[in-house]
Amino acid sequence: MFLNPERRCPVVILQDTSASMLPNIEQVNQGLRSLRADLLTDPLASQRVEIAIVTFGPVTLAQDFVTVDQWVPPRLGAAGNTPLGAALVYAMQQIQLRKLVYQEAGIPYYRPWLWLVTDGAPTDDWKGPVAAVQAEIQRGGLEMFTIGTETADFGVLRQISKPREPIRLREARYREMFVWLSRSLKPVSRSDPSAPLSLEPPTDWGDSRK
């Protein structure tokens, strides 16, 4: 199943595609293409970083896990509400399933990343799913990042990502955001898995929201 034996760095992009995202969904699509292009400039990262995309509004697996050298970013649309709780449950299920696949194949992996982007507030129950996410963070099994626009509910995002602060996205700078993600993943993909995570501040596209 795995012709490429490299250690994997799994990343789930949990992208809000509710109706309110319609004015900016093309910027998101451009950002995903920029993420791929930037990661492809690093031959090792392109074989180690695996991308999956879960969208919500409704919850959909838009892209199953695939290494960047094999990835063709899907074209996302926008419709529906913001079922963030269900999306978190589904994203966590995908991560756990992928870990099992790695373990069965004898493929080592880095701590998974969950990268949540939203412009609104949840329209479903989110507290139970957040508790599960927090338990996984606290046991060291997940790196969680939350990014919101000005209209996002930062109270909810703060509860999901703690102790890491959520980031406020400035001026729909989705391309810059995804390039920052790429440039953060490159050094991680060649690092010691036990090393603490060290990231540059998101000065080109966002501000920490405290």
Side-chain angles (χ1 to χ4, degrees):
M1 179 179 178
F2 285 95
L3 299 178
N4 167 8
E6 293 288 346
R7 178 184 294 274
R8 295 302 202 272
C9 182
V11 180
V12 175
I13 297 171
L14 187 54
Q15 177 65 55
D16 187 344
T17 53
S18 58
S20 58
M21 282 292 301
L22 186 59
N24 294 312
I25 200 66
E26 188 51 41
Q27 286 95 319
V28 173
N29 287 319
Q30 291 173 4
L32 291 172
R33 293 193 292 269
S34 295
L35 171 62
R36 177 182 183 272
D38 197 76
L39 281 168
L40 283 174
T41 65
D42 185 320
L44 187 58
S46 71
Q47 295 182 65
R48 286 188 166 185
V49 175
E50 286 194 340
I51 302 290
I53 302 174
V54 174
T55 58
F56 55 103
V59 178
T60 304
L61 181 61
Q63 170 68 65
D64 203 352
F65 283 104
V66 63
T67 51
V68 174
D69 59 348
Q70 302 294 319
W71 180 37
V72 177
R75 186 176 184 83
L76 305 181
N81 54 15
T82 313
L84 177 55
L88 286 169
V89 169
Y90 188 78
M92 293 295 290
Q93 289 172 344
Q94 297 308 304
I95 289 171
Q96 294 305 319
L97 288 171
R98 197 59 178 171
K99 286 182 179 179
L100 288 175
V101 170
Y102 295 149
Q103 291 162 8
E104 290 173 358
I107 297 290
Y109 57 92
Y110 293 93
R111 183 181 298 120
W113 285 31
L114 183 50
W115 184 268
L116 166 63
V117 184
T118 183
D119 73 341
T123 54
D124 65 350
D125 174 54
W126 55 272
K127 292 186 178 180
V130 166
V133 170
Q134 277 294 303
E136 190 69 7
I137 292 170
Q138 289 167 21
R139 77 168 194 86
L142 181 70
E143 295 288 353
M144 181 76 213
F145 301 84
T146 58
I147 297 91
T149 67
E150 287 287 359
T151 55
D153 187 331
F154 279 88
V156 172
L157 295 184
R158 192 169 294 109
Q159 291 186 59
I160 299 171
S161 63
K162 64 184 180 181
R164 183 173 281 124
E165 289 292 336
I167 300 172
R168 179 181 63 86
L169 180 68
R170 297 200 307 267
E171 301 167 359
R173 295 184 182 182
Y174 290 95
R175 187 189 69 80
E176 291 87 348
M177 178 192 73
F178 281 118
V179 169
W180 184 92
L181 174 58
S182 168
R183 293 177 182 173
S184 299
L185 287 167
K186 286 178 185 178
V188 168
S189 70
R190 61 182 72 248
S191 68
D192 180 340
S194 64
L197 192 61
S198 178
L199 301 173
E200 295 294 324
T203 51
D204 289 345
W205 59 272
D207 305 299
S208 292
R209 193 64 177 254
K210 297 183 179 180

